Amino acid sequence: MPRGFSDRILQESANPSASVWDVLSLPTGDVRGCPYEERRALMLDVVAGLPEGSPIQAVSATEDVEVARIWYETLAGSGVEGVVAKSGRSPYRAGRSSSWKKVRHAETIDAEVVGFTGAVGRPRALAVRLPDSRVALFQRLGAQLAAQVAAALVAVAPAARGRAAGG
């Protein structure tokens, strides 16, 4: 059973289910060094060995890009936030990894950049004015986006510095 997982949660749920997408360790030992293809096969064996009617199920997977595209486009309404693309040959790595990519559904809006946190050459986040005139702090910028924003900030060379009420 995964750490922190409680079968009581499943038992008390009106529609109990739990989805599994990977396995990192088995009674035989640590499998994080195995390629994802092997870990998935091991995980499917574990799920197949569960009692009939178990609420634990394997997450669907495909190697067909068109099938993944259809899932991405049609499952958004059911609460599926997107798809994950993984290299089948990659071992497990904790944290961010270049061997897998999340492709999430996003709702985009136009907003005016009115400020930033961090240095001009290395902004950490943006303050944006939303269409309803509220100003909000945009999520922390990833390295690639921060570099693009820094180039734009350096080009306009903001002269004023200040602090908002929230810091």
Side-chain angles (χ1 to χ4, degrees):
M1 204 51 75
R3 263 185 299 177
F5 185 83
S6 169
D7 60 344
R8 183 180 53 79
I9 293 170
L10 289 177
Q11 292 168 358
E12 293 175 0
S13 172
N15 185 16
S17 68
S19 298
V20 209
W21 59 90
D22 205 345
V23 64
L24 306 180
S25 180
L26 295 168
T28 56
D30 187 334
V31 295
R32 289 178 289 185
C34 297
Y36 176 69
E37 293 166 334
E38 289 179 32
R39 294 192 323 273
R40 179 157 177 89
L42 292 167
M43 183 264 304
L44 291 173
D45 287 345
V46 169
V47 172
L50 295 173
E52 189 171 327
S54 172
I56 299 172
Q57 58 191 343
V59 168
S60 298
T62 183
E63 293 183 13
D64 186 323
V65 173
E66 285 308 310
V67 169
R69 192 170 281 130
I70 290 168
W71 288 348
Y72 178 79
E73 293 169 1
T74 60
L75 295 176
S78 67
V80 173
E81 68 179 33
V83 296
V84 176
K86 292 185 176 191
S87 168
R89 294 180 301 279
S90 66
Y92 175 81
R93 289 188 188 93
R96 295 185 182 266
S97 169
S98 61
S99 65
W100 61 271
K101 298 288 182 206
K102 290 181 183 177
V103 183
R104 294 183 177 166
H105 295 280
E107 186 176 323
T108 59
I109 59 169
D110 288 329
E112 175 186 11
V113 176
V114 295
F116 62 93
T117 64
V120 172
R122 194 172 191 164
R124 290 191 312 262
L126 297 176
V128 297
R129 185 178 334 278
L130 301 170
D132 65 4
S133 297
R134 287 181 299 128
V135 174
L137 194 59
F138 184 75
Q139 66 190 21
R140 188 173 184 89
L141 300 174
Q144 185 177 8
L145 183 56
Q148 293 171 343
V149 169
L153 290 174
V154 168
V156 297
R161 296 180 63 91
R163 292 181 69 79

